[in-house]
Amino acid sequence: EYSFGACAYLTSISTLSNKIITGSDIRVNLYNCTALTSLVGLEDVSFNSSSSFQNCSSLTSLDGLQGCTFKYAQNLFSGCRSLTDITALSEVTFSSSITNINYMFSGCNALTSLDGLQGLDISNINQLVAVFQNCTSLTDLSAIANWNPYQVTNINSLFYGCSSITSFYVLR
């Protein structure tokens, strides 16, 4: 399940062939790859497990994920404390079967903006628990201003510990 999990010294994956890491029976997971700094080489990969990039604490950008598909989003980037740029998420596909994005960016304390999440459809999401918890540098929420949390039944601690937020958009 954790095809590259806990590879503490893995810094990049650009030399891996997409053919090696794609397929319905393989779950691409880079959980706890704490030295990973680049995702270039993962273009057009399908991710079939949650926590795929959890605790990749040296990752600063999601460039390289363009064209990727995510079946799950829970804990996807939690603990990526150096992550500053998530704009590449505007070029990925999230499965319509996703029902929660709990802890998706929890602990991403270098993240200042949510640019890249404008197109994330949350119409089937029923849980938004601690999605941005402890994103202590987060100031710009404008990218999610049009989110419609109509189906959400649990929105606990969504921005808990986000001490730099100075304005808030009411989710519709």
Side-chain angles (χ1 to χ4, degrees):
E1 179 170 319
Y2 299 109
S3 49
F4 297 97
C7 291
Y9 299 104
L10 181 68
T11 58
S12 72
I13 47 178
S14 61
T15 58
L16 295 176
S17 164
N18 284 347
K19 292 181 179 177
I20 294 173
I21 57 176
T22 59
S24 60
D25 58 333
I26 297 173
R27 292 184 176 193
V28 177
N29 198 313
L30 293 154
Y31 175 87
N32 258 352
C33 292
T34 55
L36 187 66
T37 58
S38 174
L39 299 178
V40 174
L42 286 178
E43 294 84 357
D44 300 314
V45 171
S46 294
F47 291 88
N48 296 320
S49 62
S50 61
S51 308
S52 291
F53 301 98
Q54 185 176 12
N55 295 325
C56 291
S57 54
S58 297
L59 197 59
T60 59
S61 167
L62 301 182
D63 289 343
L65 292 183
Q66 290 82 353
C68 290
T69 303
F70 292 92
K71 186 174 181 180
Y72 302 98
Q74 184 170 338
N75 293 309
L76 192 57
F77 302 104
S78 68
C80 294
R81 62 179 179 240
S82 299
L83 189 60
T84 59
D85 181 7
I86 62 170
T87 56
L89 291 181
S90 66
E91 299 178 53
V92 305
T93 302
F94 288 96
S95 169
S96 61
S97 66
I98 293 175
T99 59
N100 85 64
I101 57 173
N102 297 348
Y103 304 96
M104 188 174 181
F105 295 99
S106 179
C108 294
N109 44 348
L111 192 61
T112 60
S113 168
L114 301 179
D115 287 344
L117 293 181
Q118 293 90 330
L120 179 60
D121 179 9
I122 66 164
S123 60
N124 292 324
I125 303 293
N126 59 34
Q127 294 185 46
L128 291 173
V129 175
V131 178
F132 305 106
Q133 176 179 296
N134 294 323
C135 292
T136 55
S137 299
L138 187 60
T139 57
D140 183 6
L141 304 179
S142 61
I144 62 167
N146 290 322
W147 275 11
N148 183 349
Y150 178 73
Q151 298 287 351
V152 176
T153 57
N154 187 353
I155 198 166
N156 189 24
S157 302
L158 182 62
F159 295 104
Y160 180 84
C162 296
S163 54
S164 297
I165 294 175
T166 57
S167 63
F168 182 74
Y169 297 86
V170 177
L171 298 177
R172 300 177 192 177

